[in-house]
Amino acid sequence: MSIQKQVRRVTAPDIADRKGREPIVSLTSYHAHTAAIADKYCDFLLVGDSLGMVMHGYESTVPVPLELMIMHGKAVVRGSQRALVVVDMPFGTYEESPSVAFRNAARVMKETDCGAVKLEGGRRMAETIDYLVQRGIPVMAHIGLTPQSINTLGGFKTQGRQREQWAAIETDARAVADAGAFSVVLEAMAEPLAAQITGAVPIPTIGIGASAACDGQILVMEDMLGLSPRVPKFVKEFGKVGRAIDRAIKMYADDVRTRSFPAPENTYDVKD
Ligand code: KIV
């Protein structure tokens, strides 16, 4: 038996139980130190494949390799204690077949010690979601705008602009719920559609650019902090961290140039 950890982590079933109750709070997190901060306030942390764009400078999430997700997943699990950690399955690691998806998702779970994985797609992924859940892997689904399909969608666009498209998106939501997903991300859709889906499925909906009608919200942490160079219009910014970093680095550079930094006495002692 292992020694019990002092803090109990939120589990995928805990998130599923929150349907229709207190809104679920979540953010993306890619590193241990931001995970430690967000852990105090979030129900789950998503190691999103958006890290490819936010941290590694890719133009889309398509090039992100599994190894990168595992590396960042480990960091977020190490940095957090309480929040459920969900790791995104990157493009090309789960679409081919349920057994390929299982092999890669099991690797993510074993190597990162995360509590769940997320994958993109509605009806087309239902068989795979069922396969994974039956074999012990909790799955968060992701429908609406699915960024890994950027090359077929033709851009990052709001989904369900025409009312005739709503039924197909709702069918996707029902399909992932029936397949056993414990929650579903709704990305980039208008409030009436998000509200309709939230009312139609028995699992929590987590909106991103999908209004407060969902059971919870997720944002890319760097976007809400004001750190990302390009922020989607729907994002409410709660900080100006990019500006603060710019100011601090400028002051640091001035300090070095004017030799005004402290003398090396006990410099490696940690500040209180
Ligand atoms: O990769 C990501 O950060 C995501 C969120 C935007 C939901 O999938």
Side-chain angles (χ1 to χ4, degrees):
M1 285 290 278
S2 66
I3 295 167
Q4 289 290 310
K5 286 188 185 142
Q6 285 184 333
V7 181
R8 179 186 173 275
R9 266 209 199 260
V10 176
T11 63
D14 292 334
I15 297 292
D17 280 350
R18 293 274 295 275
K19 176 73 186 174
R21 292 162 60 186
E22 194 196 347
I24 297 164
V25 181
S26 60
L27 282 172
T28 62
S29 178
Y30 315 130
H31 13 62
H33 64 284
T34 54
I37 299 169
D39 189 51
K40 292 190 270 181
Y41 309 104
C42 290
D43 299 303
F44 75 86
L45 300 175
L46 173 68
V47 186
D49 61 351
S50 52
L51 65 82
M53 300 172 76
V54 177
M55 298 204 59
H56 295 274
Y58 292 123
E59 279 300 310
S60 79
T61 56
V62 172
V64 173
L66 190 65
E67 287 65 30
L68 203 57
M69 298 309 303
I70 290 174
M71 192 175 79
H72 287 281
K74 283 180 181 171
V76 171
V77 170
R78 280 195 295 261
S80 59
Q81 300 182 62
R82 196 192 58 82
L84 170 69
V85 177
V86 182
V87 176
D88 250 341
M89 297 301 295
F91 179 69
T93 64
Y94 62 92
E95 303 88 334
E96 190 179 336
S97 69
S99 56
V100 168
F102 180 78
R103 192 169 322 122
N104 287 321
R107 196 177 151 207
V108 168
M109 301 282 296
K110 284 159 83 92
E111 293 186 30
T112 68
D113 204 18
C114 69
V117 299
K118 175 167 82 60
L119 51 80
E120 295 183 6
R123 276 156 291 172
R124 66 188 165 88
M125 293 314 303
E127 187 192 349
T128 296
I129 293 171
D130 176 63
Y131 191 93
L132 296 182
V133 174
Q134 294 294 336
R135 287 159 180 77
I137 299 184
V139 179
M140 177 177 284
H142 182 158
I143 64 167
L145 171 60
T146 46
Q148 292 174 11
S149 305
I150 182 84
N151 292 306
T152 45
L153 293 173
F156 295 104
K157 296 176 191 155
T158 303
Q159 301 299 294
R161 281 169 193 256
Q162 272 88 44
R163 228 193 151 90
E164 307 82 75
Q165 299 163 337
W166 289 14
I169 301 175
E170 187 181 325
T171 306
D172 277 339
R174 288 182 190 275
V176 298
D178 289 349
F182 70 92
S183 62
V184 57
V185 170
L186 308 183
E187 181 159 0
M189 59 184 76
E191 179 158 3
L193 175 57
Q196 183 175 311
I197 292 174
T198 300
V201 294
I203 55 173
T205 56
I206 311 294
I208 173 161
S211 85
C214 299
D215 295 299
Q217 180 172 242
I218 183 150
L219 288 178
V220 170
M221 188 189 293
E222 282 73 0
D223 290 353
M224 56 73 76
L225 288 177
L227 183 56
S228 301
R230 286 177 301 173
V231 179
K233 277 194 190 149
F234 69 82
V235 174
K236 181 169 168 187
E237 287 180 79
F238 293 84
K240 295 282 172 208
V241 175
R243 253 188 244 164
I245 292 176
D246 188 300
R247 218 174 18 245
I249 295 178
K250 180 181 180 308
M251 281 161 56
Y252 165 76
D254 291 345
D255 248 27
V256 175
R257 290 200 182 99
T258 55
R259 299 183 196 281
S260 359
F261 48 93
E265 188 192 325
N266 294 329
T267 37
Y268 283 96
D269 288 352
V270 176
K271 291 180 182 172
D272 294 331

